[in-house]
């Protein structure tokens, strides 16, 4: 005799009633066991459990999920939310991805957010409440029953890793992919951060073709990035925008982070390429905000862990005068105060090393601690080795820019025509033709010898910002220059026409540096014509331009990216500068073989935003490198350090 399929339906409302009805309509031999809640029990013979409620029940849903996961049964959920029905996901035992994850990823449309806000303001106002029609509930039941029958017949339901969202007023239905949340309390599989797991053993990374500095071509990801990460309702990123006014094909994606919407940009020569790089930039930012790939477990004082920990003061802290400012949100580092630590790997010491969590991830600007850390040194790559290399290059880029700024170095000008790169020449011509900005390049390479370029866009029109600055660093100097020019074009777009309101705001910052408080303020300030005098050390005089061949030694182009990385690591080893790497990789990026890191090189100058947050105390290298480079006869003194806000955008 053929065994009957058994399905359990959990729910106490009309939706559960209709699901039972629909299931029996499709197969009279199906045995349907009904319970009002999970506490009423689920038969051991059930092949599938369907949880159906007439409203969203977050607390009860969590209990239901935990019990069903304990029982090891597949299950499917559906409920009626404020303005729509939600069907899915189908949960398989032992696999991440559950309704709590989907709920965390799901974002309400703007009009619904306004309704929710109205309810909070006036909870007794019932004007925005609309009860779902019986037709809408019946349609939801049909969706649930159809997906349930696929699972019962061992077919693949569409709601695996997906949810249906159906509007209650129009019955318009759409299917949305969501990423499991690694920190989900029900299905999350976050591992503890350990010393053993922090050890990094470099592996080979053959380059796809000669002259490349990536281990995977971007084209490999063109079919997966948008599909896996961008969705208006459930995606990690919920929107994208093509900037048609830019000199290049700029694209932005929006990340609705816990702190509010954050926009990350991609810059390339096609919108398809820029969209992919914008998503990659967003993923880098996502990984760099907080630990998502491992659970922080070490909390102790520096004095107790000093033998195997980074001294937090070696990466630059604020001066005593800054800490003493009224309302300053940070406190001097206290070696006896317990803090959270994560494990990184020191290439200089060749061992795992504890790093303060607030230095390993982008800390909140008003979250306490001894400093505010930015995304400086964060990078995403197609392998761990690639991410480490580009994290180091970003540290070098910012350090070389700040070294030239604070020490007021008259960096040599460069003739872009001598780079032997036609694309670079065309980029400069295009930026000038479309926006009226002339591009000037300067060699700011420091003692590490890694090509670093400061790019200045000088406006030749009457309207717009006067000066815009950017920087780039790369093993290939032409690529460093092109990276900086892409940044210039993005800032040109950001500043727009630089109207009278912008000039007035910049004028106030020019007169009072303490008003420079956030990243965009730095670019706004130096759009002001009067501020150009502060760059006289770089722009002044009639100095001859140098060729790329004069300024940059040709480095060996390895066929394996890891050999490039080892070469750079050896450079810092020779300079007695440690390189510490914290693996920030999250499950969401590993889905596509992408790794994220935070690279810390103690002694290098950290990029800071907001003039009162300049971090130079403890970084004596600033005073000696200008001598090593031949710009000064004796070490600099604190009195000679540039007192103005930097122009990095």
């Amino acid at each position: 005799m053929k065994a009957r399929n058994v399905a359990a339906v959990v729910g106490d409302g009309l939706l559960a009633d209709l699901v039972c009805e629909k299931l029996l309509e499709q197969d009279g031999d199906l045995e349907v066991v009904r319970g009002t809640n999970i506490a009423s029990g689920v038969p051991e013979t059930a092949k599938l459990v369907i949880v159906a409620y007439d409203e969203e029940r977050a607390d009860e849903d969590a209990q239901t999920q935990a019990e069903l996961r304990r029982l090891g049964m597949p299950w499917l959920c559906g409920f009626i939310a404020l303005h729509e029905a939600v069907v899915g996901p189908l949960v398989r035992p032992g696999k991440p991805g559950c309704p709590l994850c989907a709920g965390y990823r799901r974002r309400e449309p703007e009009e619904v957010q306004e309704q929710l806000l109205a309810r909070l303001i006036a909870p007794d106002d019932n004007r925005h409440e609309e009860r779902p029609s019986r037709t809408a509930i019946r349609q939801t039941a049909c969706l649930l029953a159809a997906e349930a029958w696929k699972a019962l017949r061992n077919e693949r339901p569409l709601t695996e890793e997906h949810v249906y969202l159906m509007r209650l007023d129009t019955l318009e239905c759409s299917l949305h992919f969501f990423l499991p949340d690694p920190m989900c309390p029900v299905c999350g599989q976050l591992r503890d951060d350990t010393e053993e797991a922090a050890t990094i053993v470099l592996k080979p990374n053959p380059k796809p073709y000669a002259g490349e500095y990536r281990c995977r071509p971007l084209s490999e990801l063109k079919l997966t990035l948008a599909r896996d990460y961008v969705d208006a309702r459930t995606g990690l990123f919920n929107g994208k925008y093509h900037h048609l006014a830019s000199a290049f094909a700029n694209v932005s994606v929006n990340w609705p982070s816990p702190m509010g919407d954050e926009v990350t940009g991609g810059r390339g020569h096609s919108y398809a390429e820029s969209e992919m790089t914008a998503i990659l930039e967003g993923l880098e930012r996502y990984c760099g905000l907080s630990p998502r790939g491992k659970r922080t477990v070490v909390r102790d004082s520096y004095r107790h862990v000093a033998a195997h920990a980074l001294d937090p003061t070696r990466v630059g802290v604020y001066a005593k005068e800054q800490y003493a400012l009224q309302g300053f949100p940070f406190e001097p580092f206290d070696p006896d105060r317990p803090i959270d630590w994560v494990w990184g790997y020191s290439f200089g010491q060749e061992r795992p090393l504890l790093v303060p969590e607030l230095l390993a991830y982008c800390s909140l600007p008003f979250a306490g601690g001894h400093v505010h850390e930015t995304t400086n040194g964060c990078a995403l790559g197609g392998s761990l080795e690639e991410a480490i290399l580009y994290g180091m290059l970003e540290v070098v880029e910012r350090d070389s820019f700040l070294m030239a700024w604070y020490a007021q170095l008259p960096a040599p000008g460069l003739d872009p025509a001598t780079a032997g790169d036609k694309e670079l020449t065309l980029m400069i011509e295009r930026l000038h033709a479309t926006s009226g900005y002339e591009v000037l390049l300067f060699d700011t390479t420091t003692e590490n010898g890694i090509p670093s370029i400061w790019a200045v866009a000088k406006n030749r029109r009457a309207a717009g910002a006067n000066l815009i600055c950017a920087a780039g660093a790369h093993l290939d100097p032409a690529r460093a220059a092109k990276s900086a020019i892409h940044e210039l074009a993005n800032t040109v777009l950001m500043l727009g026409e630089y109207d009278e309101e912008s000039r007035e705001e910049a004028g106030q910052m020019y007169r009072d540096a303490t008003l420079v408080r956030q990243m965009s303020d730095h670019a706004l300030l130096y759009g002001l014509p009067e501020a150009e005098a502060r760059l006289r050390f770089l722009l002044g005089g009639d100095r001859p331009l140098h060729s790329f061949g004069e300024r940059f030694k040709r480095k060996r182009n390895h066929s394996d990216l890891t050999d490039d990385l080892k070469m750079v690591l050896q450079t810092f080893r020779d300079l007695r500068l440690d390189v510490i790497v914290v693996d920030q990789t999250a499950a969401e990026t590993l889905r596509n073989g992408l790794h994220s890191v935070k690279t810390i090189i103690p002694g290098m100058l950290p990029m800071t935003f907001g003039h009162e947050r300049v971090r130079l105390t403890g970084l004596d290298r600033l005073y000696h490198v200008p001598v090593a480079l031949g710009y000064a006869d004796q070490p600099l003194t604190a009195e000679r350090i540039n007192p103005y806000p930097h122009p990095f955008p």
Side-chain angles (χ1 to χ4, degrees):
M1 183 177 177
K2 181 181 177 182
R4 298 178 70 190
N5 271 338
V6 178
V9 176
V10 175
D12 56 3
L14 179 58
L15 181 59
D17 292 341
L18 293 175
V19 168
C20 291
E21 178 185 309
K22 289 296 176 186
L23 287 172
L24 292 172
E25 280 180 5
Q26 294 183 54
D27 187 344
D29 290 332
L30 174 69
E31 182 180 345
V32 178
V33 180
R34 174 75 180 276
T36 56
N37 54 52
I38 197 66
S40 61
V42 173
E44 294 181 1
T45 55
K47 189 175 180 180
L48 178 71
V49 180
I50 302 105
V51 179
Y53 289 119
D54 290 356
E55 67 279 321
E56 193 167 3
R57 300 180 181 179
D59 294 338
E60 188 171 334
D61 201 32
Q63 297 171 9
T64 300
Q65 291 184 63
E67 177 62 15
L68 289 171
R69 181 163 285 271
R70 186 188 68 78
L71 293 172
M73 289 183 176
W75 65 286
L76 177 68
C77 78
F79 60 88
I80 307 297
L82 177 66
H83 71 293
E84 67 186 354
V86 180
V87 174
L90 176 83
V91 182
R92 299 284 189 188
K95 289 188 65 176
C98 68
L100 275 184
C101 296
Y104 173 73
R105 303 292 187 195
R106 193 175 99 246
R107 282 169 295 277
E108 304 293 356
E110 188 173 339
E111 64 271 16
V112 177
Q113 293 181 27
E114 291 175 357
Q115 290 180 26
L116 292 172
L117 181 61
R119 283 189 175 187
L120 287 173
I121 296 172
D124 297 329
D125 186 350
N126 297 322
R127 286 178 298 171
H128 299 291
E129 287 195 24
E130 294 183 14
R131 295 197 173 277
S133 66
R134 188 179 180 88
T135 301
I137 298 176
R138 183 174 291 278
Q139 181 67 7
T140 306
C142 288
L143 275 173
L144 265 170
E147 288 295 292
W149 264 111
K150 290 175 185 174
L152 290 167
R153 293 168 179 161
N154 298 318
E155 299 173 9
R156 181 179 172 85
L158 294 177
T159 46
E160 283 201 50
E161 299 184 318
H162 293 75
V163 291
Y164 275 114
L165 301 178
M166 186 188 76
R167 287 188 53 157
L168 297 176
D169 53 355
T170 65
L171 304 188
E172 178 186 356
C173 190
S174 53
L175 187 66
H176 301 266
F177 171 78
F178 73 95
L179 287 165
D181 179 7
M183 294 184 285
C184 176
V186 173
C187 71
Q189 299 176 351
L190 212 59
R191 70 184 194 279
D192 285 348
D193 183 24
T194 65
E195 180 178 1
E196 294 74 21
T199 299
I200 296 176
V201 178
L202 299 179
K203 299 175 182 177
N205 282 268
K207 296 178 181 178
Y209 50 84
E212 179 58 278
Y213 287 90
R214 296 280 185 182
C215 63
R216 292 169 62 190
L218 197 59
S219 58
E220 277 190 13
L221 299 167
K222 66 180 180 181
L223 297 178
T224 60
L225 285 182
R227 181 197 68 194
D228 288 353
Y229 303 113
V230 183
D231 186 286
R233 296 297 311 281
T234 59
L236 197 61
F237 309 109
N238 65 348
K240 60 184 178 181
Y241 181 74
H242 291 196
H243 299 281
L244 303 180
S246 173
F248 307 111
N250 285 22
V251 176
S252 296
V253 297
N254 186 70
W255 172 37
S257 80
M259 295 184 296
D261 286 352
E262 293 194 32
V263 176
T264 60
R267 293 165 278 282
H269 297 305
S270 73
Y271 287 110
E273 175 190 353
S274 296
E275 181 179 326
M276 287 190 284
T277 56
I279 295 170
L280 294 172
E281 285 284 335
L283 291 173
E284 176 188 304
R285 174 69 174 149
Y286 175 78
C287 291
L289 188 64
S290 62
R292 301 181 190 278
K294 49 195 174 182
R295 183 182 294 104
T296 300
V297 295
V298 179
R299 183 173 179 82
D300 209 335
S301 68
Y302 173 66
R303 200 176 301 282
H304 285 165
V305 300
H308 43 271
L310 167 68
D311 180 352
T313 63
R314 290 181 56 214
V315 298
V317 295
Y318 306 119
K320 291 180 181 179
E321 297 77 12
Q322 292 169 284
Y323 286 116
L325 291 171
Q326 185 176 2
F328 197 68
F330 306 99
E331 299 176 355
F333 178 69
D334 180 357
D336 293 310
R337 178 187 176 188
I339 60 173
D340 291 325
W341 300 83
V342 298
W343 284 102
Y345 184 77
S346 163
F347 281 96
Q349 302 176 47
E350 297 184 334
R351 62 166 182 150
L353 205 66
L354 284 171
V355 177
E357 186 182 89
L358 69 82
L359 293 178
Y361 295 88
C362 183
S363 54
L364 299 179
F366 302 103
H370 70 284
V371 294
H372 171 226
E373 182 66 8
T374 68
T375 58
N376 197 53
C378 290
L380 189 81
S383 69
L384 185 62
E385 293 76 13
E386 181 184 309
I388 294 170
L389 175 61
Y390 279 87
M392 294 174 71
L393 291 176
E394 187 182 78
V395 173
V396 169
E397 170 195 303
R398 274 99 186 275
D399 172 84
S400 64
F401 184 95
L402 293 175
M403 183 68 70
W405 175 257
Y406 289 129
Q408 301 183 77
L409 304 181
L414 294 167
D415 180 359
T418 65
D421 192 301
K422 185 64 175 176
E423 184 178 74
L424 172 60
T425 305
L426 291 173
M427 287 176 67
I428 292 172
E429 291 176 356
R430 181 171 178 81
L431 185 60
H432 184 263
T434 56
S435 62
Y437 283 88
E438 177 188 358
V439 174
L440 308 173
L441 302 178
F442 300 90
D443 176 17
T444 54
T445 305
T446 62
E447 83 279 27
N448 55 56
I450 297 172
S452 302
I453 289 177
W454 182 332
V456 176
K458 169 64 176 172
N459 197 351
R460 298 305 181 188
R461 302 179 306 165
N466 179 48
L467 284 180
I468 296 172
C469 296
H474 201 281
L475 298 178
D476 176 0
R479 294 183 194 225
K482 287 188 281 190
S483 175
I485 292 168
H486 274 302
E487 293 294 338
L488 289 178
N490 185 61
T491 308
V492 168
L493 183 68
M494 179 186 75
L495 291 177
E497 288 303 313
Y498 206 78
D499 55 18
E500 284 304 314
E501 184 178 347
S502 299
R503 291 174 187 271
E504 174 59 29
E505 187 177 354
Q508 293 175 10
M509 295 178 193
Y510 181 74
R511 295 183 290 274
D512 181 0
T514 64
L515 297 177
V516 178
R517 294 170 181 158
Q518 54 191 2
M519 184 165 57
S520 58
D521 291 343
H522 292 264
L524 189 67
L525 168 58
Y526 288 93
L528 193 71
E530 299 94 295
E532 182 175 343
R534 296 179 179 178
L535 284 98
R536 189 173 292 117
F537 68 89
L538 187 71
L539 305 175
D542 190 19
R543 292 174 286 158
L545 296 181
H546 294 251
S547 71
F548 272 61
E550 286 179 80
R551 298 299 305 175
F552 304 111
K553 295 179 181 178
R554 186 177 295 276
K555 289 183 170 59
R556 181 182 173 188
N557 186 5
H558 299 101
S559 59
D560 192 297
L561 188 75
T562 303
D563 291 331
D564 291 332
L565 172 58
K566 289 178 178 178
M567 177 182 69
V568 177
L569 286 169
Q570 186 60 50
T571 295
F572 284 97
R573 207 172 278 122
D574 293 343
L575 293 170
R576 298 185 179 179
L577 290 172
D578 197 359
V579 176
I580 302 167
V581 174
V582 176
D583 189 350
Q584 299 177 333
T585 306
E588 292 95 326
T589 61
L590 276 179
R591 181 183 184 91
N592 283 285
L594 299 170
H595 297 255
S596 181
V597 303
K598 167 78 170 187
T599 306
I600 301 170
I601 306 179
M604 302 283 272
L605 305 179
M607 180 58 66
T608 58
F609 298 105
H611 188 54
E612 291 186 338
R613 293 183 184 168
V614 170
R615 284 166 47 195
L616 297 179
T617 301
L619 301 177
D620 294 340
R621 181 173 153 274
L622 169 61
Y623 303 100
H624 300 286
V625 167
V627 177
L629 296 176
Y631 288 111
D633 297 327
Q634 55 187 0
L636 271 63
T637 61
E639 292 71 28
R640 292 183 58 190
I641 299 303
N642 196 330
Y644 300 116
H646 67 71
F648 194 91

